[in-house]
Amino acid sequence: MSSPLTTRAGRSRAGRSRSGRDPSAMARTVLARTAHPLLLLSVAGVFAAATHRGWDRGLVTVVFQLAVISYLVALEHLIPYKRSWNPDRREWRAYGAYFLLTALGAGLGQALVLSAVGAVAEPNSPFPLWAEIPAALLLGSLAGYAVHRLGHTNRWLWRLHGIHHRPEKVNVGNNGVNHVADVLLTQGCVQLALALVGFSETAVFGVGLFVVAQGYFVHANVAVGIGALNHVFTSPEQHRLHHSTDLAEAGHYSSDVALWDHAFGSFTWRPDREPAAVGLEDPASFPPTGAVLASLAHPFRRTAKPGRGTG
């Protein structure tokens, strides 16, 4: 004979089963639906606070970048797209080395770019900030799109950019797997394009926060879908296709807004479209990701193969 407690517990389980309301599943659904909106709200909030309080923009950008990485790594464990794509300790060590080397090299090399930006950019633009920011975003996105697409179609530039496509998984950690020269080229073109047009430093700062957030978000190994907003923003769904070994679906050269992929015919996403595999058609054409120094030297070796350079 069952006790009243057992009966009530059984009824409770049966009730949950009939209603289909598994608390953990509901929590994962909420996380998936709020992940991107919360990220966008954080961009707006940090920008507003930093601008209003006069915080150091360089320091704010670094702290914000680390916060975004931490947030997305947590989501990769809570709502992974593929749990096997999460980095192990050995991969984290390699990713960390790339991150530090790229940050160091980019920081030293971009000193000239930043000084040029400071010399050309206007502290106070004659245009209202609400008009400047979307214009700066679109121009910066276009410059980034152009450099990224050239990185896939130009044989020498592919030797630099192909290092980023060597991993056979896509996650927040390997967003930093880049050649220093590739980072310098991309950031230099984007920042100078914004400065030469005359956008204010405030607008460039705001766009930079958005680009940081989106750049890590699209790389995140998270089961997040943004639905029809894929036609406005880029997303992990799109960027996984960009890393596909099937070049017919490997478009999506933007990492912030989807406008330029639509405009130039590289938008391949459709609902439920997923890559069968990611990485390189010929993995042997680049050193393994863990061979950091060999990867950095690879573009300058005469034996470097062009590999998967078109698409």
Side-chain angles (χ1 to χ4, degrees), residues 108-119 184 187-192 195:
L108 293 173
Q110 284 184 357
L112 293 175
V113 174
L114 292 175
S115 64
V117 169
L184 289 174
Q187 291 303 313
C189 289
V190 170
Q191 293 298 322
L192 284 176

Side-chain angles (χ1 to χ4, degrees), residues 68-69 72-77 80-96 164 166-178 214-223 236 239-240 243 278-279 289:
V68 167
I69 293 171
L72 292 172
V73 167
L75 289 180
E76 286 186 330
H77 287 277
Y81 169 71
K82 287 187 178 180
R83 196 165 293 279
S84 62
W85 279 12
N86 283 342
D88 57 29
R89 289 184 180 180
R90 178 182 57 81
E91 289 171 325
W92 269 121
R93 285 195 293 270
Y95 297 163
H164 179 69
R166 182 61 174 84
E168 296 177 344
K169 54 177 71 174
V170 182
N171 55 51
V172 168
N174 61 33
N175 181 47
V177 176
N178 299 291
Q214 278 291 119
Y216 281 99
F217 172 66
V218 300
H219 244 270
N221 174 35
V222 290
H239 205 68
R240 285 192 285 266
H243 279 259
V278 298
T289 299

Side-chain angles (χ1 to χ4, degrees), residues 179-283:
H179 196 282
V180 175
D182 192 23
V183 175
L184 289 174
L185 177 64
T186 303
Q187 291 303 313
C189 289
V190 170
Q191 293 298 322
L192 284 176
L194 294 175
L196 290 172
V197 169
F199 292 114
S200 68
E201 294 176 7
T202 302
V204 172
F205 167 65
V207 170
L209 292 178
F210 176 76
V211 169
V212 165
Q214 278 291 119
Y216 281 99
F217 172 66
V218 300
H219 244 270
N221 174 35
V222 290
V224 172
I226 63 173
L229 286 177
N230 273 290
H231 297 285
V232 179
F233 300 105
T234 54
S235 70
E237 300 166 276
Q238 295 175 38
H239 205 68
R240 285 192 285 266
L241 291 172
H242 173 69
H243 279 259
S244 174
T245 55
D246 179 0
L247 298 186
E249 63 186 10
H252 298 289
Y253 300 104
S254 289
S255 60
D256 36 48
V257 294
L259 172 64
W260 305 118
D261 282 305
H262 275 298
F264 297 111
S266 51
F267 189 93
T268 67
W269 175 84
R270 60 174 181 265
D272 301 321
R273 186 175 198 177
E274 299 179 0
V278 298
L280 298 171
E281 282 186 306
D282 179 15

Side-chain angles (χ1 to χ4, degrees), residues 290-309:
V292 179
L293 295 180
S295 295
L296 295 177
H298 176 76
F300 310 105
R301 295 173 53 211
R302 291 185 179 181
T303 55
K305 300 177 185 177
R308 167 198 188 263

Side-chain angles (χ1 to χ4, degrees), residues 127-146:
F127 305 104
L129 195 60
W130 62 263
E132 261 199 298
I133 289 180
L137 172 60
L138 291 178
L139 177 62
S141 178
L142 177 60
Y145 177 94

Side-chain angles (χ1 to χ4, degrees), residues 53-71:
R53 297 177 179 275
W55 293 340
D56 180 88
R57 291 167 178 169
L59 180 60
V60 168
T61 301
V62 171
V63 172
F64 181 70
Q65 180 182 22
L66 295 176
V68 167
I69 293 171
S70 301
Y71 169 64

